[in-house]
Structures are given as structure tokens and as C-alpha cells.
Amino acid sequence: MQRISAALVILLFIAAAVLAGTVFLDRFAQTADAGFEQILTAGDEGQFAEAQALLGELQDYLKRCEPWLALIVRRDQLGQARTALAGIQPYLAADYWADGKLELLRAQEQLRAVLHLYRQVF
């Protein structure tokens, strides 16, 4: 009887961890997508200083969430997403906006792919 209750407690703990991870990833994905959209809108409107500030906020948000994301997603995949975001900063200028927009969309897709890998398993 004790083995059954111990197994049930472990099973409930695993289910709660998966549920909490899924909810956290969904919130992270929504916030990150909103950040990407704000950067794209600011860049399209020619407000590159605001776009750079928004990119900094998005990088800070990823940095704050990274310890929790590392519990769910592999660190090397997070590192790739962080590197892709860091490479966008030089492109947030009027002369390079076309390239910056492509890099921004590529980083957004890379982050979505990382989150999709988790959802594929769970």
C-alpha cells in the first residue's frame, strides 16, 4: 500500500511539473512574441532608438527567465536563441533595417522552434 501511495505522489509531482512548465512556456512565448512584434512595429515606423530599447528589454526578459527555462529546455538551445537576439542590435538602424527585420524574424522563429521542441515531447 505504501508503494502505491509513493508512486502516486511521484506521478502527481511529475504531472504538476509538466503542467507548470507548459504554463510557464506559454506565458514566456506570448511575452516574447509581443516583444518581437513591438520591435518590428517600431522599426517599421523608423523609431530605431525605441526598437533598440525594446530589444534590450526582450534580452533582459530572456536573461531573467533563462534559469527556469533551463529546467525545461536544453541550455545549448537557449544559448543559440540568446546569441541570435544579441546579433540583432547592429541591424536596428535605418540603413540596415531590411536585414535587421530578417534577423529579427529568424530569431523569433528560432525561439519558437525551441519552444516547439518542448511541446512536441509533452
Side-chain angles (χ1 to χ4, degrees), residues 20-107:
T22 302
V23 169
F24 176 73
L25 278 180
D26 286 341
R27 286 184 181 169
F28 175 79
Q30 289 174 354
T31 304
D33 279 340
F36 280 116
E37 292 302 321
Q38 288 175 345
I39 295 169
L40 285 169
T41 302
D44 286 339
E45 294 174 355
Q47 300 172 350
F48 297 108
E50 182 181 342
Q52 288 181 354
L54 290 168
L55 179 64
E57 290 175 13
L58 186 60
Q59 288 172 331
D60 290 342
Y61 180 67
L62 178 62
K63 193 179 292 184
R64 282 193 318 268
C65 293
E66 192 170 356
W68 296 105
L69 288 170
L71 295 173
I72 302 167
V73 180
R74 290 186 358 204
R75 279 197 183 271
D76 63 327
Q77 294 171 337
L78 287 175
Q80 291 172 356
R82 188 178 57 245
T83 303
L85 276 177
I88 295 171
Q89 188 78 25
Y91 294 108
L92 294 180
D95 296 338
Y96 307 111
W97 176 239
D99 294 330
K101 192 171 187 177
L102 292 175
E103 289 294 321
L104 193 61
L105 292 172
R106 186 179 63 82

Side-chain angles (χ1 to χ4, degrees), residues 1 4 19 23 26 30 37-38 64 93 108 111 117 122:
M1 187 68 178
I4 293 173
L19 180 64
V23 169
D26 286 341
Q30 289 174 354
E37 292 302 321
Q38 288 175 345
R64 282 193 318 268
Q108 185 179 21
L111 195 57
L117 289 175
F122 296 105

